[in-house]
Amino acid sequence: MSDLTKTIKLRIHVSPEQEILFCQMTEQYRQACNFVSKHIFDNQFNLSYQNLNKELYNDLRGQFGLKSQLAQSSIKTAIARYKTVKEQLSQNPFKYKNENGNWKYITKTLEWLWKPVCFSRPQADLVRNRDYSFVDDGQTLSINTLGKRTKCTFEGEHFAEYLDGSWSLGTAKLIKLKGLWYLHIPVTKAVEDFQKENIRHVVGIDRGLRFLTVSYDEQGKTEFVSGKKIATKRHKFQEVRRQLQSKGTKSAKRRLKAISGRENRWMSDVNHQISKTLVEKYGKDTLFVLEDLTGVSFEEENLSKTAKQNYDLRSWSFYQFEQFLIYKTHENRSEVLKVSAKYTSQRCPKCGTIHKENRNHHKHLYRCQCGYKSNDDRIGAMNIQLLGTMWISGDTHPRYEKLTNTSE
């Protein structure tokens, strides 16, 4: 068994008096997090909780009026943010060409930051049973503030299954969004582990723009999810943003923010639907294989000469789809394997020849000298699927290597 964690977002009903209490607490907590963040930045990025707690605890209590648990939580929140930034920096190394014209990479560390990490949105991290708890038979939330605790109701009909006692609740985040208050609560439950020896399906998934996903399974079945309508709608959003940006008025900026949120929610729903369909189609004990696209979409060689296509490539939410697929598979006793993207679109799945010119991007056709031809995105999915079968056979890091062919 292993743990599966999700985040539920409870909308809570707040009275005018509670609004004041929550605004005070979240603003003081935000300032406290920035205080801790600056200390970390000024002291060689020391992320030891014990040291920071010893050095800052009294100041957090005195300067910001935080209760004991909130003071400690603000330290943990700042540490967690720096660890996230550290991971993000390591995944996006500095890239440059040396005097020989070869690309070189330098791993980024926290020392690359020019200023402290900033917490701009008022928030508060609330520890279960210390800062928040469910009372009145689970119908009411009791929430701590800078002063007294307060009770409020919430809209939880859609989250009843997570509040029935079968899931454990973690540290929640209290935030305000568009005038409404929410409590984001991580919930954890033990689920069945994925077992390699019980695999029933191996599905290779190629992600792209023309087709959002192309999947290919062990039975040779291919399924295409077109991205044409998605691209059209995204370009409409882009055009509206361009018009609003050219105005530059306050109302235009407010409109831009609203449009951004609407587009993000719509795009999230698209990714949810695609990943849900794949998981439900193949059921339990399925291995979904994806290319590891970390940093790939931003590589110079993957960009075209048109601004429109570059916008599509840079703004498409490959990572979000991946994350949705991962947590859905874990709920369903399945797994996602990430493999090297190298040569997956250039290799013939029939004879193994790797030849870049075999792929015609304009016609979306792959044609090999051996006579095999197919849709170029389908070729990618087939090669990705094969890497999955290689992993099952014991190759812990399956990848394709281009062999030198003197006859070429």
Side-chain angles (χ1 to χ4, degrees):
M1 303 292 284
S2 59
D3 289 337
L4 171 69
T5 300
K6 292 184 174 184
T7 298
I8 61 175
K9 302 177 181 180
L10 295 182
R11 178 185 168 186
I12 55 181
H13 302 139
V14 177
S15 68
E17 293 79 11
Q18 291 172 329
E19 172 94 11
I20 295 174
L21 292 174
F22 287 168
C23 284
Q24 291 175 340
M25 178 174 65
T26 54
E27 175 58 22
Q28 290 301 103
Y29 191 91
R30 182 189 72 84
Q31 294 183 24
C33 288
N34 282 325
F35 177 78
V36 177
S37 176
K38 187 176 186 304
H39 182 87
I40 292 173
F41 183 83
D42 293 339
N43 290 273
Q44 291 76 48
F45 302 101
N46 180 3
L47 300 181
S48 168
Y49 169 75
Q50 289 77 10
N51 292 342
L52 292 172
N53 188 55
K54 183 178 179 180
E55 295 169 359
L56 303 178
Y57 177 78
N58 290 333
D59 290 332
L60 292 170
R61 294 291 307 275
Q63 291 187 35
F64 304 100
L66 301 184
K67 292 184 178 179
S68 177
Q69 186 60 63
L70 285 174
Q72 296 174 56
S73 293
S74 67
I75 297 173
K76 294 177 181 178
T77 298
I79 291 174
R81 182 71 65 83
Y82 269 98
K83 287 183 176 179
T84 298
V85 171
K86 183 179 180 181
E87 178 65 21
Q88 291 171 340
L89 288 171
S90 68
Q91 292 180 358
N92 292 278
F94 177 73
K95 177 183 175 183
Y96 70 97
K97 280 187 177 180
N98 62 12
E99 61 276 8
N100 297 322
N102 298 321
W103 286 107
K104 295 294 181 180
Y105 299 86
I106 299 177
T107 301
K108 295 179 184 177
T109 63
L110 289 175
E111 283 70 20
W112 283 66
L113 295 178
W114 288 14
K115 58 183 179 179
V117 170
C118 179
F119 292 80
S120 57
R121 173 183 291 183
Q123 62 174 36
D125 285 352
L126 309 178
V127 175
R128 166 77 163 152
N129 291 330
R130 290 288 299 274
D131 296 317
Y132 82 96
S133 57
F134 289 89
V135 296
D136 301 330
D137 295 324
Q139 300 303 307
T140 309
L141 271 168
S142 174
I143 299 177
N144 212 353
T145 68
L146 297 182
K148 61 181 181 179
R149 294 182 76 93
T150 185
K151 291 183 178 180
C152 52
T153 58
F154 58 93
E155 296 181 7
E157 59 270 17
H158 299 300
F159 305 105
E161 62 178 297
Y162 302 110
L163 304 175
D164 62 2
S166 61
W167 296 73
S168 61
L169 311 184
T171 297
K173 188 178 293 293
L174 178 67
I175 64 169
K176 185 179 182 181
L177 181 63
K178 294 185 177 180
L180 302 175
W181 287 91
Y182 295 88
L183 197 63
H184 294 185
I185 307 175
V187 295
T188 304
K189 184 178 183 179
V191 294
E192 294 181 90
D193 285 331
F194 169 77
Q195 300 292 335
K196 183 189 289 190
E197 58 272 16
N198 295 332
I199 290 177
R200 297 187 302 114
H201 303 289
V202 181
V203 184
I205 302 174
D206 181 77
R207 292 168 284 176
L209 300 176
R210 180 168 172 263
F211 294 107
L212 303 185
T213 61
V214 178
S215 58
Y216 179 86
D217 61 26
E218 75 288 344
Q219 297 179 358
K221 296 181 180 179
T222 308
E223 185 169 336
F224 297 83
V225 177
S226 175
K228 186 175 181 180
K229 292 182 179 179
I230 303 298
T232 299
K233 190 166 183 176
R234 287 176 69 87
H235 293 150
K236 288 182 180 178
F237 275 114
Q238 185 186 15
E239 178 60 23
V240 172
R241 280 198 301 273
R242 186 191 64 78
Q243 294 174 3
L244 292 172
Q245 287 169 347
S246 65
K247 292 183 178 180
T249 62
K250 288 185 178 180
S251 60
K253 292 178 180 178
R254 286 195 299 269
R255 184 63 178 161
L256 273 170
K257 188 175 181 180
I259 288 176
S260 176
R262 186 187 307 162
E263 182 178 10
N264 289 338
R265 289 190 297 273
W266 163 72
M267 201 65 246
S268 293
D269 184 63
V270 170
N271 281 325
H272 267 300
Q273 294 300 325
I274 297 174
S275 55
K276 179 181 178 181
T277 299
L278 284 166
V279 172
E280 289 182 347
K281 176 181 178 181
Y282 288 100
K284 295 182 183 296
D285 302 317
T286 297
L287 178 67
F288 293 97
V289 191
L290 301 175
E291 291 174 301
D292 186 352
L293 296 180
T294 303
V296 170
S297 60
F298 296 92
E299 295 291 338
E300 184 177 301
E301 57 267 25
N302 288 309
L303 298 179
S304 68
K305 296 182 179 180
T306 68
K308 180 179 178 181
Q309 289 174 323
N310 288 347
Y311 166 79
D312 288 338
L313 199 57
R314 284 194 163 110
S315 61
W316 175 246
S317 50
F318 292 115
Y319 180 73
Q320 185 188 67
F321 167 78
E322 179 181 305
Q323 293 304 300
F324 288 172
L325 184 64
I326 287 174
Y327 90 74
K328 284 176 169 54
T329 55
H330 289 177
E331 282 185 296
N332 207 39
R333 205 175 68 201
S334 295
E335 188 57 90
V336 171
L337 172 69
K338 293 169 65 176
V339 297
S340 171
K342 200 170 184 180
Y343 301 125
T344 53
S345 62
Q346 301 176 19
R347 178 184 179 275
C348 175
K350 293 301 180 182
C351 71
T353 297
I354 296 176
H355 197 55
K356 187 176 182 179
E357 284 68 27
N358 286 350
R359 184 183 186 186
N360 187 318
H361 288 270
H362 181 70
K363 294 182 178 180
H364 302 290
L365 178 67
Y366 184 94
R367 187 191 300 270
C368 182
Q369 288 83 352
C370 72
Y372 184 76
K373 63 179 180 179
S374 185
N375 173 274
D376 57 351
D377 294 309
R378 180 173 180 267
I379 291 290
M382 293 173 73
N383 283 318
I384 294 168
Q385 195 270 346
L386 180 57
L387 289 175
T389 63
M390 292 164 61
W391 179 79
I392 294 173
S393 300
D395 188 344
T396 55
H397 299 288
R399 57 185 297 134
Y400 296 120
E401 299 291 346
K402 188 174 184 179
L403 302 177
T404 302
N405 190 341
T406 57
S407 64
E408 291 186 2

